């Protein structure tokens, strides 16, 4: 299959890459652009580990084709921190022990940020339903939900 | 290693909740997991898997695959030897079928190619001629004498007559006179139970990157719970020396017992040897479900007698576990754990391990215990209901305690069961009101815990910081706990310590991260390594001061003269001693090696409130509280995390999760869509209460905490649902159709 050239903006950086017509955005990000913070847990849209934003919309990058990123703005976990200044969600995840193995964390952080961008003051059940597409097998979600709540509170008071 | 008896110890840093050292890497996406590593010239490996549940491999023709442009190696069992050791042979045969495929998804060939797409194409070109054989996937069916035989000649002599060869082993535990016990009972209940196989469900699929040069030197990067055990298995299978194979554990995206063995690693090494290039294999989620470790599924009979007052007079369990296509020893764990929570005069458990055409069972958090304890705790609850007794009071009346002869042999030392039950009884959750269609269930849980082979080396750097090298992958914050214990012992701040997980060439053998052993054993070895470094530092101070070594003590991170007679010298801090170490005898380090015992058993009690929708049979968990004895919680956040995570895995097991097989013996739900693990919106907060009854076998009193919490949810939820709908349920998972069926039958 012939590869196609795409131009995309990832975490604010303009990038060019080649990709096969049937290659997923997840594979393009991980294998061609070296953004291994984006994780693959299932490849079928069921775990949310590969969550990224595509022009601001939260998507499973395993369900998006690489070619769809042409001309789009992609946001991944690698773009959350401002240099060495962590995003409040990242800080609260560490301080609140909201990760054990950490494999689900990149996807959950991206998803949680997309929620707070829309709704700075979500209820507990809004957070639980928003994150229902992100599986975590280690934590039982308790500390994740609490970390999102405390990050949101800090962001509102900032 | 005895508990420090002077320990009315006030801990300075142990018990605090500092940020974990690997936190920033993990929230920024920089941490490298199994699939995140690459090597120059790397090939993509892919594995051919059986479409059949059971078949003889008549022939495999790989010539077309080999001829495909971009294919660099194709391997089958012909490229492996046949290990003499039976255990190793089973591990290898599970990685690459020899002669027969034993389950749907069993590997029987592999290719390495210049891209994943080419590798996939090549798999489709491998031609296999199968002779399909009859199969069996149900444990009870597999035990019948006329059942299809999965493997010949694997049955041990202690298996009685009249059973299929699929029954590989038998075990029995207990004491006392059962008949006399049952005679004293006012009520005897006998019930049969079934539980489905579940999967650990770690979010990170297995992944590895292997290289192996012609001179037999190899490197392997993989996500594993135990790099040293991976080395043992791979070196054995490939016939190379352990020293020549360096295994590095990546960050690990969950394991829960399922990453304690090998699946793809020997295959990747064999492909690397044949192709002369590094080979990376990453499993798909479908492969993870089909070919890596689910738990056993079980069929069980329980009989318990109780007096009107609630005293258990006799208890009996018969447990039948199928562990897939290879012999396992899991029923022994269940048979020993089943009645551990009770002080019983007469008890007997019997267990049978059984082969079926399913994937080889792998450990999953407290392997073997959850199902047995589910069945026992269900019957205890039903007895309480029928005798109108309070289920917590009955547990307390019968609870095992220090001095109790346990149902599996040993006599208990200090244990926290009674304290845990009392905490549950006093908790507001236990007396909160319930509404119609709601029910409350409780269950005790137990795990033995484990110590094992452990090495730690601790280096005092010349700037006063400390580096710890340990050999167990950090699966949920253990680097933080180990740093805390080192900081505590040395008397320095937590952030002066850095703990790293070493590869197999950098440290002596460490057992796998399993059995809830790491915080206990590695912690113990770290404390002892720190003590040996302290001894050296005291010696250096003595030398500087010109006094006897035993006239120096270590206190608050400093060497000090032991008393006025020793001389008047100002204390020297760790940093001060380290700074001049080059002049006082050279670098300062401590190390400790042990095969640790004294892990100290762990008990927990869970309370669950549920509401069952009478229209659909769907169960909603409304409130959940976990009570557990941690001995000493080194980093309470991560102790709570184990309690919460284990509880939710148990909730999934109780309500949704199961391996579903068709009549053709094929797995029908090999994906997260149809194998449904709990999601955030299914759950309430999971409240936790940590009890601290020191473990006599650890200097700080630490007990492992990781496994026990998966045990109680099965019965806690079954008891809650049964009380909510007014019918006893005897099968897991309690999926909505089953619960609805029970409601309809009740009328
Ligand atoms: S990898 Fe995309 S949803 Fe699981
Ligand atoms: S922290 Fe391991 S899957 Fe979420």
């Amino acid at each position: 299959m012939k590869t196609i050239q795409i131009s995309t903006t990832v975490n604010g950086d303009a990038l060019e890459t080649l990709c096969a017509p049937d290659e997923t955005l997840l594979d393009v990000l991980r294998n061609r652009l070296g953004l291994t913070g984006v994780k693959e847990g299932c490849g079928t849209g069921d775990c949310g580990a590969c969550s990224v934003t595509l022009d601001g919309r939260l998507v499973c990058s395993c369900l998006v084709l690489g070619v769809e990123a042409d001309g789009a703005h992609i946001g991944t976990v690698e773009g959350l921190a401002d240099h060495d200044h962590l995003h409040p969600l990242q800080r609260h995840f560490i301080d609140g022990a909201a990760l054990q193995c950490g494999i689900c964390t990149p996807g959950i952080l991206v998803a949680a940020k997309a929620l707070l961008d829309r709704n700075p003051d979500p209820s507990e059940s809004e957070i639980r339903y928003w994150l229902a597409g992100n599986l975590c097998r280690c934590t039982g979600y308790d500390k994740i939900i609490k970390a999102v709540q405390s990050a949101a509170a800090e962001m509102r008071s900032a | 290693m005895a508990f420090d008896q002077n320990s009315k110890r006030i801990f300075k840093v142990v018990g605090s909740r500092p940020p974990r050292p690997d936190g920033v890497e993990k929230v920024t996406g920089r941490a490298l997991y199994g699939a995140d590593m690459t090597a120059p010239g790397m090939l993509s490996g892919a594995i051919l898997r059986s479409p059949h549940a059971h078949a003889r491999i008549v022939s495999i023709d790989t010539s077309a695959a080999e001829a495909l442009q971009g294919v660099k190696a194709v391997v089958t069992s012909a490229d492996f030897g046949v290990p003499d050791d039976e255990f190793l042979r089973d591990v290898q045969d599970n990685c690459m079928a020899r002669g027969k495929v034993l389950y749907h998804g069993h590997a029987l060939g592999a290719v390495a190619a210049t891209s994943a797409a080419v590798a996939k194409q090549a798999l489709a070109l491998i031609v296999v001629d199968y002779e399909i054989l009859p199969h069996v996937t149900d444990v009870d069916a597999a035990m019948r004498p006329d059942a299809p035989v999965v493997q010949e000649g694997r049955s041990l002599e202690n298996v009685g007559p009249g059973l299929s060869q699929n029954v590989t082993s038998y075990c029995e535990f207990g004491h006392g006179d059962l008949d006399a016990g049952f005679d004293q009972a006012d009520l005897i209940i006998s019930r049969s139970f079934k539980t489905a196989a579940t999967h650990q469900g770690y979010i990170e699929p297995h992944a590895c990157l292997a290289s192996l040069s012609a001179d037999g030197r190899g490197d392997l990067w993989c996500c594993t719970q135990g790099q040293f055990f991976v080395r043992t298995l791979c070196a054995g299978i490939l016939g190379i020396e352990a020293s020549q194979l360096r295994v590095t554990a990546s960050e690990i995206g969950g394991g829960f017992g399922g990453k304690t063995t090998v699946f793809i690693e020997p295959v990747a090494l064999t492909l690397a040897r044949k192709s002369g290039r590094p080979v990376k294999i990453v499993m798909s989620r479908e492969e993870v479900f089909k070919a890596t470790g689910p738990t056993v599924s079980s069929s069980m009979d329980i009989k318990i007698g109780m007096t009107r007052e609630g005293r258990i007079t006799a208890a009996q369990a018969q447990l039948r576990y199928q562990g897939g296509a290879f012999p396992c020893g899991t029923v022994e764990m269940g048979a020993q754990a089943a009645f551990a929570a009770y002080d019983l005069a007469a008890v007997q458990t019997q267990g049978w391990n059984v082969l079926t055409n399913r994937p080889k069972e792998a450990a999953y958090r407290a392997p073997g215990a959850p199902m047995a304890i589910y069945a026992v705790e269900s019957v205890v609850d039903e007895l309480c209901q029928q005798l109108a007794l309070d289920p917590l009071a009955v547990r307390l009346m019968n609870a095992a305690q220090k001095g109790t002869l346990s149902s599996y042999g040993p006599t208990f030392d200090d244990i926290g069961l009674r304290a845990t039950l009392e905490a549950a009884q006093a908790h507001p959750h236990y007396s909160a009101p319930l509404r119609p269609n709601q029910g409350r269930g409780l269950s005790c849980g137990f795990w033995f815990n484990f110590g094992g082979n452990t090495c730690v080396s601790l280096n005092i750097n010349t700037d006063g910081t400390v580096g710890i090298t340990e050999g167990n992958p950090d699966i949920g914050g253990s680097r933080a706990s180990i740093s805390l214990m080192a900081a505590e012992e040395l008397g320095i701040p937590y952030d002066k310590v850095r703990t790293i997980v070493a590869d197999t060439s950098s440290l002596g053998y460490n057992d796998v991260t399993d059995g809830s052993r790491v915080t206990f054993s590695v912690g113990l070895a770290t404390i002892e390594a720190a003590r040996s470094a302290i001894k050296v530092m005291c010696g250096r101070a003595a030398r500087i001061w010109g006094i006897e070594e035993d006239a120096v003590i270590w206190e608050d991170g400093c060497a000090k003269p032991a008393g006025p007679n020793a001389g008047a010298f100002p204390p020297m801090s760790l940093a001060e001693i380290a700074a001049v170490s080059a002049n006082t005898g050279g670098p300062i380090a401590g190390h400790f090696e042990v095969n640790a015992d004294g892990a100290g058993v762990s008990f927990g009690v869970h309370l669950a409130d549920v509401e069952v929708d009478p229209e659909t049979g769907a169960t909603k968990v409304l409130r959940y509280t976990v009570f557990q004895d941690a001995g000493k919680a080194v980093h309470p956040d991560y102790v709570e995390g184990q309690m919460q995570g284990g509880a939710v895995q148990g909730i999934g097991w109780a309500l949704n999760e199961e391996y579903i097989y068709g009549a053709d013996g094929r797995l029908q739900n090999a994906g997260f869509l149809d194998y449904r693990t709990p999601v955030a919106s299914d759950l309430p907060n999971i409240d936790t209460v940590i009890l601290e009854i020191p473990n006599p076998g650890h200097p700080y009193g630490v007990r492992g905490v990781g496994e026990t919490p998966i045990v109680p949810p099965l019965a806690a939820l079954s008891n809650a649902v049964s009380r909510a709908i007014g019918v006893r349920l005897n099968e897991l998972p309690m999926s909505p159709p089953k619960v609805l069926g029970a409601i309809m039958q009740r009328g």
Side-chain angles (χ1 to χ4, degrees), chain B residues 90-166:
Chain B
D90 280 347
V91 170
Q92 177 182 309
D93 288 348
N94 189 44
C95 296
M96 190 59 64
R98 199 161 43 91
K100 283 208 299 185
V101 285
L102 301 172
Y103 57 91
H104 178 215
H106 197 172
L108 71 156
V111 301
T114 47
S115 77
V118 174
K120 203 171 145 195
Q121 250 179 296
L123 289 185
L125 295 174
I126 299 177
V127 183
V128 185
D129 185 8
Y130 294 102
E131 176 197 337
I132 295 174
L133 302 170
H135 64 269
V136 60
T137 56
D138 177 75
V139 62
D140 292 318
M143 290 178 78
R144 288 185 204 120
D146 58 346
V149 174
V150 179
Q151 288 198 50
E152 307 270 348
R154 302 305 299 269
S155 192
L156 297 181
E157 273 165 18
N158 67 359
V159 177
L163 294 170
S164 160
Q165 289 193 52
N166 292 325

Side-chain angles (χ1 to χ4, degrees), chain A residues 39 99 101 137 142-143, chain B residues 20 33 36 200 640 686:
Chain A
K39 301 301 180 195
L99 54 141
C101 79
R137 192 59 160 171
D142 188 288
K143 291 185 192 299
Chain B
R20 63 194 280 171
Y33 292 82
D36 298 337
Q200 296 82 354
E640 291 163 7
I686 307 294

